[in-house]
Amino acid sequence: MIFTPKGKHLVAGEWLDGAGTFASAPAHGPAHDFAVGTVELVNRACEAAEEAFWTYGYSSRKERAAFLRAIADEIEARAEAITEIGSQETGLPEARLNGERGRTTGQLRLFADHIEKGDYLDRRVDAAMPERQPAPRQEIRLVQRPVGPVAVFGASNFPLAFSTAGGDTAAALAAGCPVVVKGHSAHPGTGEIVAEAVDAAIRKTGVHPGVFSLIQGGSRDVGHALVQHPHIKAVGFTGSLAGGRALFDLCAARPEPIPFFGELGSVNPMFLLPEALKARAETLGQGWAGSLTMGAGQFCTNPGIAVVIEGADADRFTTAAVEALAKVAPQTMLTDGIAKAYRDGQARFATRNAVKPLLATESSGRDASPNLFETTGAQFLADHALGEEVFGPLGLVVRVGSPAEMEELARGFQGQLTATIHMDAGDLETARRLRPVLERKAGRVLVNGFPTGVEVVDSMVHGGPYPASTNFGATSVGTMSIRRFLRPVAYQNMPEDLLPEDFLG
Ligand code: NAP
């Protein structure tokens, strides 16, 4: 064991105990005790974050870029230990955690480069018009400013890239916002070692220690107190619809409501158009099986639904998918609770008359095996529950009678993170009818690909209409995610010497 957790909270540079302890529940390896978070600790972290904002919120982009790069370096310095504890806690393979660590440090460095370039500030100047009649106009300049302290809730399925120093934290720190992280109870040790890396970077670069705190969970009071704290000005959340909605409602009910950027679940429908299906039904079936079972299906972008037009090509597709899925061995899920929720979801499908099992498997404990079901377009539209996410390797084939019915089905979907069209040249007319529908439904529309795997780039949108996210104008992946933690301020007739430094370089 390379890393033995302290089991404490990190509040503004100090490692603190809480009220009692909770035990981690690793997939393998030893369990550890962690201090339970308290409202008092939340208050302390938020006070420190507010104090830190008075320097960090006004720091130069160069200073913040150096801090972000230092965090990436400190994470890399703990690479082996992070992979070890991360794999133990989540059951994810070491190779996956190594890759995710690279993505996490890559995001931090990407944001460092991004803020140095400065385009994100969206600086605007309307020159003064002293001679204008009937009234002169004063000079007006606009720039984006950080909102203040931000609360971050990481997800269980990305213990590095969507957690303690993941995309939300990187974006908020890049913007100039101190961060208070609510640790995920599924990977408290991974959270702690990453917090240790952030703390080391704080000491190395000399930023205010209140810029980062990690309060471990163990009690729902922590999250509730955090989103309601008056110093918190925005929340970044990745997780379930139920958890996200509960916290979103608390944010909206505050005396001063604040934006809650919740990235929630999605079923990510795929539409397989006739010519593409005729040309490569088997390849599509096998490809779908691979995407559906990647990481035990525990991706928010997992393509849970395939819509096909009834006929022999649809049969070829489902046969290939069943064959490929049947070969997939049981995989360990992130937590006992997620494994149980998967089995409950499976039972929900299996007990519906209108749904036919194509591949039904049994699993136990923390393991999950793939399951595949089939239904008709009419039944799908009549039964809303069939469009709800089952987190894990469960797929549903929806058979429709015609391209027109496929379009009708597309119109019936709720908001999605992604929607995919599989097409060939001969499918263009059908695709042209689907594209406007799908862009109303999803944050990302793909052609001839699988949605698992989200590139961290300038043009990525990882979000979408509710319930995919609680804020359709935002993304939680890619450089545009910094916008969530900024607000525009206009400066009218302000002497140059008084303007924020961001106008200068
Ligand atoms: P989760 O159970 O919602 O947990 C996320 C965080 O919210 C945890 O810190 C959890 O605290 C807290 N929380 C949950 N319910 C709460 C409540 N009622 N009050 C206060 N805090 C609450 O989600 P998860 O298990 O981590 O992730 C699985 C889900 O996330 C899936 O549905 C998946 O599709 C979705 N997801 C979405 C994305 C995306 O980008 N859209 C990415 C990954 C995952 P505890 O630690 O105490 O449980």
Side-chain angles (χ1 to χ4, degrees), residues 110-111 114 120 171 456-460 475 477-483:
L110 179 72
F111 273 111
H114 187 59
Y120 78 101
V456 186
V457 290
D458 291 336
S459 48
M460 179 49 68
T475 173
V477 176
T479 52
M480 208 175 78
S481 65
I482 196 171
R483 284 199 195 165

Side-chain angles (χ1 to χ4, degrees), residues 8-66:
K8 297 187 179 208
H9 312 278
L10 173 66
V11 178
E14 286 185 71
W15 291 96
L16 302 174
D17 287 319
T21 57
F22 69 94
S24 63
H28 52 89
H32 299 281
D33 284 341
F34 288 86
V36 172
T38 64
V39 174
E40 195 258 321
L41 284 164
V42 169
N43 291 342
R44 198 161 152 179
C46 293
E47 290 294 338
E50 172 66 11
E51 196 192 310
F53 186 73
W54 289 108
T55 48
Y56 191 72
Y58 302 86
S59 59
S60 70
R61 285 177 279 133
K62 202 164 169 255
E63 285 167 316
R64 294 203 298 282

Side-chain angles (χ1 to χ4, degrees), residues 156-157 182 184-185 220 224 238-240 263-264 300 389 462:
S156 53
N157 60 345
K182 147 69 178 67
H184 201 296
S185 52
R220 286 277 148 96
H224 296 173
T238 305
S240 65
E263 298 301 329
L264 314 174
C300 47
E389 181 196 33
H462 187 65

Side-chain angles (χ1 to χ4, degrees), residues 22 152-158 162 182-187 216-225 227 237-247 250 260 262-268 297-302 334-335 337-338 389-392 417 454 462-463 467-469 476-477:
F22 69 94
V152 168
F153 292 71
S156 53
N157 60 345
F158 281 90
F162 273 102
K182 147 69 178 67
H184 201 296
S185 52
H187 54 261
Q216 298 285 8
S219 153
R220 286 277 148 96
D221 292 350
V222 174
H224 296 173
V227 302
F237 173 96
T238 305
S240 65
L241 175 58
R245 184 62 201 238
L247 295 168
L250 286 177
F260 177 87
E263 298 301 329
L264 314 174
S266 190
V267 289
N268 306 294
Q298 299 168 115
F299 283 105
C300 47
T301 49
N302 205 29
L334 293 157
T335 66
I338 287 177
E389 181 196 33
V390 177
F391 195 54
L417 292 166
V454 185
H462 187 65
S469 89
S476 67
V477 176

